[in-house]
Amino acid sequence: EAGVAQSPRYKIIEKRQSVAFWCNPISGHATLYWYQQILGQGPKLLIQFQNNGVVDDSQLPKDRFSAERLKGVDSTLKIQPAKLEDSAVYLCASSLDHYERPEQYFGPGTRLTVT
Amino acid sequence: AQSVSQHNHHVILSEAASLELGCNYSYGGTVNLFWYVQYPGQHLQLLLKYFSGDPLVKGIKGFEAEFIKSKFSFNLRKPSVQWSDTAEYFCAALSYNTDKLIFGTGTRLQVFP
C-alpha cells in the first residue's frame, strides 16, 4: 500500500514570496490533515478535510494560508505571502475516517525555509 | 488549554537498557492515545495506539504502553533498547471534546552500542 505522498520535499523562498505544497493521501482515506511542525515542537494541526469539505481550520492563519482538497483526493496548501516565522516542516496526514478509524498516517513532509 | 506533556526531552541509553518515556495529557473524558516514532531521515510512523479495552497495549518492535486513566498518563516502555531505536518519539492524544490530535513536544532517544 502506497503511503502519503508530498512534494516538494524542500523549499527555500524569500519572505513575501508565495509557495504551494501538494499532498496525495493514502487511497481510500476520507480524512486529510495538514500540520505545521516548527523545530523542537510537535506537529500542530492547521486544517482538516473530510472528503472535500473543511472540518476544522480554526488554527489556520487565513490571512496568508489557504488550502483546498478538490475532488476529495489530493490537496494543496498555499502560503502567500510567506513570513520568516513560517519556516517549518509541513506535514500531510490521512486517516481512513477521522470518526471511525482515526489513526493518522503521515507523509515525509516539506521542509520550508523562509529567508 | 488541552495539552500533551512529554517531560523527557532527551534520553541517552546504552543498548540493552530499559526504556520508559513519560506522557501525560490534560483532557478529561474519552481520549484516543498514540505514540509515533520518527527515525532519522524518515517520516512519522505510528508505533502503537490505545482506544479502549486492555490498558496495556503492544506495538511494533517490542514497544508497549500503559494507559493509566487516574494519572492521565500513557507511558511508553521497552525492556531492552537497540541502537536502531534511536529516534524521536511523539505522544499524541485525540480528545472527543476537541476532536483534534494534539502532540507532545517529543523525546529524542539516543542509544549507544
Side-chain angles (χ1 to χ4, degrees):
Chain A
E1 177 182 82
V4 177
Q6 287 188 249
S7 67
R9 293 294 307 278
Y10 305 92
K11 190 75 178 178
I12 301 174
I13 61 172
E14 295 181 351
K15 59 184 179 183
R16 290 187 289 274
Q17 286 187 322
S18 63
V19 65
F21 313 126
W22 174 82
C23 171
N24 186 250
I26 293 172
S27 177
H29 280 199
T31 314
L32 184 148
Y33 316 79
W34 283 102
Y35 288 85
Q36 180 192 59
Q37 185 176 17
I38 292 172
L39 189 64
Q41 299 180 19
K44 184 186 86 171
L45 180 70
L46 292 175
I47 189 168
Q48 175 184 333
F49 294 91
Q50 182 77 4
N51 298 308
N52 60 348
V54 175
V55 173
D56 186 345
D57 63 358
S58 59
Q59 299 185 106
L60 186 73
K62 298 181 190 63
D63 58 332
R64 298 183 300 105
F65 286 63
S66 64
E68 59 183 11
R69 190 185 185 197
L70 299 175
K71 300 180 182 178
V73 183
D74 54 355
S75 174
T76 55
L77 176 70
K78 296 179 182 177
I79 308 175
Q80 183 179 18
K83 292 185 175 181
L84 294 176
E85 59 260 37
D86 298 332
S87 293
V89 176
Y90 290 85
L91 298 168
C92 180
S94 69
S95 67
L96 196 61
D97 182 279
H98 183 75
Y99 304 101
E100 299 295 329
R101 290 286 302 276
E103 54 266 47
Q104 297 180 23
Y105 297 89
F106 285 80
T110 297
R111 183 177 298 277
L112 173 67
T113 303
V114 182
T115 62
Chain B
Q2 293 165 324
S3 63
V4 174
S5 300
Q6 292 183 246
H7 305 293
N8 315 103
H9 297 294
H10 190 188
V11 174
I12 301 173
L13 295 173
S14 298
E15 275 192 319
S18 64
L19 170 72
E20 181 160 3
L21 301 182
C23 173
N24 289 90
Y25 60 94
S26 65
Y27 310 112
T30 304
V31 291
N32 297 152
L33 296 161
F34 306 85
W35 276 96
Y36 282 86
V37 60
Q38 188 166 26
Y39 297 104
Q42 298 187 26
H43 60 277
L44 275 167
Q45 300 173 40
L46 183 64
L47 197 55
L48 48 76
K49 62 191 178 191
Y50 172 78
F51 290 167
S52 64
D54 188 345
L56 185 63
V57 292
K58 296 190 183 300
I60 59 172
K61 304 188 180 185
F63 285 91
E64 64 179 31
E66 185 175 12
F67 169 58
I68 303 180
K69 189 174 181 179
S70 61
K71 295 184 178 181
F72 296 89
S73 70
F74 189 57
N75 292 355
L76 181 71
R77 300 195 292 246
K78 186 171 184 179
S80 176
V81 295
Q82 300 174 316
W83 176 79
S84 58
D85 294 324
T86 294
E88 186 142 23
Y89 293 81
F90 291 92
C91 181
L94 175 62
S95 162
Y96 281 29
N97 292 336
T98 65
D99 212 25
K100 285 185 184 58
L101 187 63
I102 305 295
F103 283 84
T105 53
T107 297
R108 184 177 169 216
L109 172 65
Q110 280 184 290
V111 180
F112 289 96

